Amino acid sequence: MALLRLGFLASHNGSNMQALIDACKAGRLDAQPAVVISNNSESGALARARQEGIPACHLSGHTHPGPRALDQAICATLTRHQVEVVCLAGYMKHLGPLTLAAYRGRVLNIHPALLPKFGGEGFYGQAVHQAVLEAGEKESGPTVHLVDEEYDHGPVLAQARVPVLEGDTPATLAARVLEQEHQLYTETLQKIAMGEIMLEGLKR
Ligand code: GAR
């Protein structure tokens, strides 16, 4: 079967995106990175994409003032690169209604906590892990889920669990979870590529 064409949206470092690109290159993921979009022109994600020779686009409120124009540009970019599945990888913006409608059921996100706990607006990066520690949780771990109109919402596809250890700081917990994020995102996408997880919106 042809490789699954992935489109990435990322705002910051892009380590999840890189893990997926590396898995594609190593043959552990039957997919092909088609395009990387970032709202942040200085993001590590765009730098990594250029380094890897993957089309890299900066699309934001600066390049496209007005949410509709931006939504149209994102949707057109994904379509032009024949993206089949959209992977949010630390993307800190909402996707617009046009893009969500065009890719309904085919947009995935990774979140560094066991949703539905510790998700939603403001739950990003260290704030998530800080909240987990403050709540006295004994375990945490990443969630891969389908994206809908709300932040960190939508059906859960996969989760992995990691223990919260005594003496953990947000940084140490984040590092332990991030390692699992890279694995879980790769495994989940490979299941999609193999047809073990069927996405309603994906015609292959
Ligand atoms: C990851 O920990 C991801 O789970 C989180 O942003 C980080 C991005 O890291 N996403 C969210 O918090 C979504 N609400 P990366 O840029 O190194 O992949």
Side-chain angles (χ1 to χ4, degrees):
M1 198 185 284
L3 295 174
L4 187 66
R5 293 183 66 81
L6 303 179
F8 295 98
L9 285 109
S11 299
H12 296 296
N13 179 20
S15 78
N16 273 288
M17 181 197 83
Q18 185 73 56
L20 293 169
I21 294 169
D22 291 348
C24 290
K25 291 201 295 194
R28 285 182 283 115
L29 175 53
D30 297 326
Q32 185 178 339
V35 65
V36 175
I37 297 171
S38 183
N39 59 305
N40 174 2
S41 62
E42 310 270 287
S43 64
L46 283 183
R48 289 176 193 268
R50 292 188 196 106
Q51 179 82 19
E52 296 284 348
I54 299 165
C57 303
H58 169 223
L59 298 176
S60 71
H62 291 290
T63 63
H64 294 78
R68 197 180 154 76
L70 177 58
D71 187 10
Q72 271 170 346
I74 290 174
C75 192
T77 302
L78 294 170
T79 310
R80 188 166 68 248
H81 290 279
Q82 298 172 315
V83 167
E84 296 176 277
V85 170
V86 178
C87 303
L88 305 190
Y91 186 58
M92 295 303 128
K93 299 282 179 189
H94 267 307
L95 278 185
L98 280 175
T99 307
L100 273 179
Y103 283 92
R104 166 102 24 218
R106 295 189 284 155
V107 184
L108 272 60
N109 181 39
I110 187 144
H111 183 74
L114 295 169
L115 293 175
K117 287 181 175 179
F118 309 110
E121 195 145 13
F123 278 106
Y124 163 70
Q126 303 274 318
V128 176
H129 305 291
Q130 178 85 43
V132 169
L133 292 177
E134 279 170 7
E137 296 288 322
K138 295 278 173 279
E139 57 180 14
S140 189
T143 300
V144 175
H145 66 96
L146 289 175
V147 170
D148 61 15
E149 283 75 9
E150 286 177 54
Y151 277 115
D152 303 326
H153 193 258
V156 169
L157 296 180
Q159 290 186 315
R161 286 168 194 274
V162 305
V164 174
L165 301 179
E166 210 160 308
D168 256 341
T169 63
T172 58
L173 180 57
R176 196 173 315 114
V177 172
L178 189 63
E179 222 181 285
Q180 290 299 311
E181 289 186 43
H182 297 167
Q183 277 193 34
L184 186 73
Y185 218 175
T186 306
E187 286 165 12
T188 307
L189 276 160
Q190 178 60 2
K191 285 183 184 164
I192 292 168
M194 306 267 293
E196 280 174 37
I197 295 178
M198 308 282 268
L199 299 186
E200 236 176 70
L202 180 61
K203 309 260 180 304
R204 299 208 83 206

